[in-house]
Amino acid sequence: MIKQISIGLTGALLSLSMLSAQAAPKPDEAAEYRQSVFTVVKWNFAPIGAMIKGDVPFDAAAVARHAQYVEMMSKAALEGFPKGSGPDAVKDTEAKAEIWSNWSGFEAKMSDFQKEAAKLAEVAKGGDQAAIKAQFGKTAETCKACHKEFRKD
Ligand code: HEC
C-alpha cells in the first residue's frame, strides 16, 4: 500500500518535472527561437524598405501583409530571452549579457519596437505611401536602438 502510494507520488513528481522542463526551454532552444523570430522580422521588414526606396514596385497589399507579420513578431520576441540564455550559456548568440543585467532597459526597447510596429501595421492598411515611409523609418530606429545597446555586431 505504502509502496503504491510512493510509486504514485513519484509518477506525479515525474510528470510535474516534465511539465516544468517544458515551461523553461533550454538556453540553446531559446536562442534558436529568438533568432528565428528576428529572421521572420527581417524577411517581412526588408521588402517594405525595398518598396519605399523604389527598388521594387509599391504594392499596398504586400506592405500591409508584411507589416502585420512584423507586428506579430514584435510581440513574440521577448519570451525568447529567458534568464540564463545569455552568452555565458549559449555559444551561437549575438545577445549581450546586458540584456539580463539591464532587463527593464531591454524591455523598454522591445516595447518601443512593439508600439512602432503596431503603428506601421495600422498605417500600412491605409496604403498612404508617405505615411508608410515615415512610420517605416520610426520602426527601423527601434531596431537600431536595441541592436546598438544589446546585440553584438
Ligand atoms: C529589443 C531589442 C531588439 C529589437 C527592437 C530588434 N532586435 Fe533584432 N536582435 C536583437 C538581439 C538581442 C538579437 C540577437 C539574438 C541572438 O543572437 O540570440 C537580434 C538579432 C537580429 C537578427 C539576426 C537573427 C539571426 O538569425 O541570428 C536580425 C536579422 C534582426 N535582429 C533584425 C531586426 C529588425 C529588422 C528589427 C526591427 C524591425 C529588430 N531586429 C528589432 C534585439 C532586437
Side-chain angles (χ1 to χ4, degrees):
M1 177 67 172
I2 288 177
K3 204 174 172 190
Q4 266 177 357
I5 290 174
S6 75
I7 287 171
L9 261 178
T10 311
L13 284 174
L14 258 178
S15 46
L16 259 181
S17 72
M18 277 162 70
L19 272 177
S20 64
Q22 248 174 12
K26 292 197 185 81
D28 280 337
E29 289 171 348
E32 207 177 311
Y33 168 75
R34 67 195 179 225
Q35 289 162 7
S36 309
V37 168
F38 284 120
T39 299
V40 176
V41 168
K42 185 185 172 193
W43 178 269
N44 287 282
F45 199 59
I48 304 176
M51 286 184 224
I52 284 169
K53 275 201 247 161
D55 294 347
V56 178
F58 191 82
D59 174 345
V63 170
R65 189 181 73 244
H66 288 308
Q68 243 180 342
Y69 285 123
V70 173
E71 182 193 4
M72 255 196 274
M73 290 305 112
S74 76
K75 293 176 183 160
L78 194 67
E79 72 184 72
F81 294 89
K83 245 193 193 154
S85 67
D88 43 356
V90 180
K91 226 165 63 182
D92 181 20
T93 182
E94 291 177 341
K96 283 192 189 169
E98 280 81 352
I99 291 172
W100 294 274
S101 63
N102 178 17
W103 182 252
S104 59
F106 183 70
E107 261 184 332
K109 292 273 185 281
M110 195 65 90
S111 162
D112 291 343
F113 171 39
Q114 289 167 347
K115 270 183 222 148
E116 299 304 340
K119 276 190 213 160
L120 180 63
E122 192 55 43
V123 165
K125 278 189 226 157
D128 175 343
Q129 278 194 50
I132 290 167
K133 184 176 178 178
Q135 190 53 39
F136 177 85
K138 283 190 190 170
T139 310
E141 285 305 316
T142 69
C143 320
K144 277 188 220 144
C146 186
H147 290 166
K148 200 172 153 224
E149 196 171 341
F150 294 111
R151 191 180 78 165
K152 283 174 237 163
D153 27 49

